[in-house]
Amino acid sequence: MKGTFAELAETVLERPARLGAVRLVGVDGRAGAGKTTFAGRLARELGRSRRVTVLHTDDFLDGWSKLLIWQPRMREWVLEPLRRGQAGAYRRYDWEAERLVDEWTAVEVPDVLIVEGVGSAAVGMRGDLTLGVLVGAPRELRLRRGLERDGERLRGEWERWMAAEDGHFAEDRPETGVDVLVDGAAEEAHDAEIEYIIGTSGWTGRATLRDDPESRPDGEERSG
């Protein structure tokens, strides 16, 4: 079953903001599943009419350790300021230098913030999410994609990271809490620039906020 980025963008904009006046979208999934590509295409569609910022959790890590260390950093540096209607800022992790850079990167208040990375739709994030997405792909494909990008010398790091992911996803079970499941290894013919293939379980029961009695609008529609 196909979905389109245009339809998904419309869904995001129909739903209320839950991070102050910002609509927060989490694109979750294991490393190598296709999250970055998906987030970029959704951002492009949303950017036709709104101010959109994409943040990658890799930029908030400490290398290959501590899978979710990015969450408190992003919350303190970016999410809480945005909730208050203020600009945030963060220090990006330099993977070659293996440390946080000294310079701060500003994050102005957008209409939509897309956070892409492992844990971006985890339990600790869901209360602020306007939309949660989970991108999946087979382990062998994800590992191959990773090694093609990073090189065989990092196989050990990739395998340790993937083991940590297995533990996190077994406990967190994001597939039960997100709104959209996406097949990141789809073989069905589609135009990948404008379409994606919905995962085997399709839309979850939280497909519309009208079905979620705990949801409350936090902000009004804002023009781009």
Side-chain angles (χ1 to χ4, degrees), residues 26-47:
V27 180
D28 205 338
R30 291 171 167 83
K35 303 181 301 300
T36 304
T37 299
F38 184 92
R41 288 170 177 162
L42 179 57
R44 181 177 61 194
E45 189 63 41
L46 284 162

Side-chain angles (χ1 to χ4, degrees), residues 54-200:
V54 180
L55 293 180
H56 306 282
T57 63
D58 284 0
D59 290 336
F60 292 77
L61 290 172
D62 269 340
W64 294 92
S65 64
K66 300 179 181 178
L67 195 74
L68 298 181
I69 195 173
W70 66 268
Q71 286 189 350
R73 289 177 173 176
M74 183 180 290
R75 188 162 295 281
E76 177 184 355
W77 294 345
V78 178
L79 300 185
E80 292 308 319
L82 294 185
R83 189 192 306 278
R84 299 189 297 267
Q86 301 170 350
Y90 67 96
R91 294 171 60 198
R92 179 182 56 82
Y93 182 78
D94 186 324
W95 286 80
E96 293 187 2
E98 298 183 342
R99 68 176 183 87
L100 294 173
V101 301
D102 296 329
E103 299 79 13
W104 289 81
T105 299
V107 181
E108 300 299 327
V109 181
D111 297 309
V112 182
L113 174 64
I114 299 177
V115 176
E116 172 275 316
V118 179
S120 58
V123 169
M125 297 287 289
R126 289 175 199 163
D128 292 326
L129 291 179
T130 290
L131 188 83
V133 179
L134 181 65
V135 184
R139 184 184 191 280
E140 295 76 11
L141 175 60
R142 291 185 285 106
L143 180 59
R144 185 171 74 247
R145 287 172 174 172
L147 296 180
E148 286 174 352
R149 184 191 69 183
D150 297 334
E152 183 66 29
R153 64 185 179 83
L154 290 178
R155 175 180 289 272
E157 298 286 12
W158 264 87
E159 291 178 342
R160 283 188 287 273
W161 182 267
M162 294 173 85
E165 287 179 333
D166 289 342
H168 163 69
F169 282 107
E171 180 178 352
D172 188 82
R173 299 187 65 209
E175 70 278 3
T176 67
V178 297
D179 304 288
V180 188
L181 301 176
V182 175
D183 186 348
E187 296 182 355
E188 180 180 342
H190 65 289
D191 185 342
E193 292 299 318
I194 62 174
E195 298 174 319
Y196 61 93
I197 302 301
I198 297 174
T200 54

